[in-house]
Amino acid sequence: MTAPHATVRPTDAAHLDELEPELPTELLNIPWIDPHNHAHTLSWEDRERYALSGCRSMVMVSSGYHWTPYKPVEASDIRFLWDDAINRRRAIERNHFFEAKLGLGIHTGVRIENPDELLAAMDDYCALDEVVAVGETGVTPSQHVERWDIDEQQAVVQAQMELADDHDLPVLLHTPNTTPDAKREYRDDLGVSPGYEKNAGLGSEPVLDGENPALEAVERDVRAARDAGLDEERVVASHADANNTAYLMDETDCYLSYTIGHSWLVGVDAADVADAIDEYGPERIMIDTDTANVLRTDPYAVKRAIFELYRYGIDVDDIRTVVYENPRDVFGLAA
């Protein structure tokens, strides 16, 4: 402690003696798990940032239509994405020292031709030790390039949930966000934004156009899980937000994962997670980054959130539950 008269005149420090907090230094070392990212599509340096910030384990989701070069997408394109992730996973673990497991699924954000071929092949993929989740998948209100009939989508989602139940795997849902209003619009020819490399001009007319299509999509996903006989505690609703939290918490037993790796796009950050913990407790809450090579995202997002949650008043034990214990237990990670 500074001597009473060491400084020429009083400083701020002289007035902080009564505010000496007991600093939770364990926050610096809490292991954390990212239950939803596409880190296999990132640079070596980005994956190293995960390691440097304490990532213990992650679920790399290979079911992303954004990096398939052809539209519409064929079953063989999705198989290539699955195989590429399987091919590279062990090298990623060896390079960066965290555990890297896989989620494989059929994403409905673009219509996939001949999806039955994928469903027929998924049984063998789900039996692989490195596959710890089916997904991301889930009903999507609108598609890129070509519309996909809503009932056909739901049937494909339910078929994947049946496979997950057969293999005792959790399902990672892509729940549509209600993107907040932008402070100012970008030029039309720039697409969604300079942070998202997607040709927004190729978006199709929505297949769900009711009062709240994003929530209706989630309700359809839950209905599909129930029809598939899948325990709702085996469903993780990624991209949770204010539009679906109350429904998922009050009317289902699903876990919620808040995507905070690109808050600029979806408007969800650590404050939303803290509010959810305050209202519902930490037992069914996770956070993820959803990093991908087509999107401006932050590999440090979970580590930053650990500090932010504490600053927002969340107990250290609850933080550990959210960032480590819940994804560990649901996905069988970090054994």
Side-chain angles (χ1 to χ4, degrees), residues 218-234:
V218 178
E219 292 170 341
R220 282 178 169 266
D221 291 335
V222 172
R223 198 150 60 243
R226 290 169 178 168
D227 290 344
L230 180 66
D231 190 333
E232 289 176 13
E233 292 183 354
R234 302 296 278 160

Side-chain angles (χ1 to χ4, degrees), residues 115-283:
D116 288 345
E117 289 185 26
L118 287 173
L119 291 170
M122 279 188 73
D123 191 55
D124 288 337
Y125 282 91
C126 288
L128 297 173
D129 290 340
E130 56 263 47
V131 175
V132 298
V134 170
E136 63 186 300
T137 189
V139 172
T140 309
S142 60
Q143 282 70 52
H144 195 55
V145 181
E146 289 191 13
R147 302 170 87 235
W148 199 350
D149 177 79
I150 193 67
D151 292 328
E152 292 178 10
Q153 284 189 61
Q154 190 165 339
V156 169
V157 171
Q158 181 175 329
Q160 292 176 84
M161 291 176 166
E162 291 169 357
L163 282 168
D165 188 51
D166 289 343
H167 290 271
D168 193 25
L169 292 174
V171 170
L172 189 64
L173 285 182
H174 168 92
T175 62
N177 284 111
T178 51
T179 304
D181 293 334
K183 294 180 179 179
R184 179 169 172 147
E185 297 296 327
Y186 289 104
R187 294 174 181 269
D188 290 339
D189 56 345
L190 293 180
V192 177
S193 82
Y196 197 6
E197 294 167 356
K198 173 183 175 183
N199 189 344
L202 295 179
S204 64
E205 289 296 315
V207 292
L208 283 176
D209 57 3
E211 182 177 336
N212 193 340
L215 183 59
E216 183 181 342
V218 178
E219 292 170 341
R220 282 178 169 266
D221 291 335
V222 172
R223 198 150 60 243
R226 290 169 178 168
D227 290 344
L230 180 66
D231 190 333
E232 289 176 13
E233 292 183 354
R234 302 296 278 160
V235 176
V236 178
S238 190
H239 317 319
D241 65 6
N243 187 51
N244 57 39
T245 290
Y247 165 71
L248 288 166
M249 280 296 187
D250 295 337
E251 301 185 39
T252 80
D253 293 322
C254 301
Y255 281 80
L256 284 69
S257 186
Y258 291 85
T259 299
I260 60 171
H262 42 79
S263 298
W264 62 272
L265 179 64
V266 301
V268 174
D269 58 23
D272 298 287
V273 181
D275 289 344
I277 294 171
D278 282 344
E279 185 165 358
Y280 299 102
E283 290 79 15

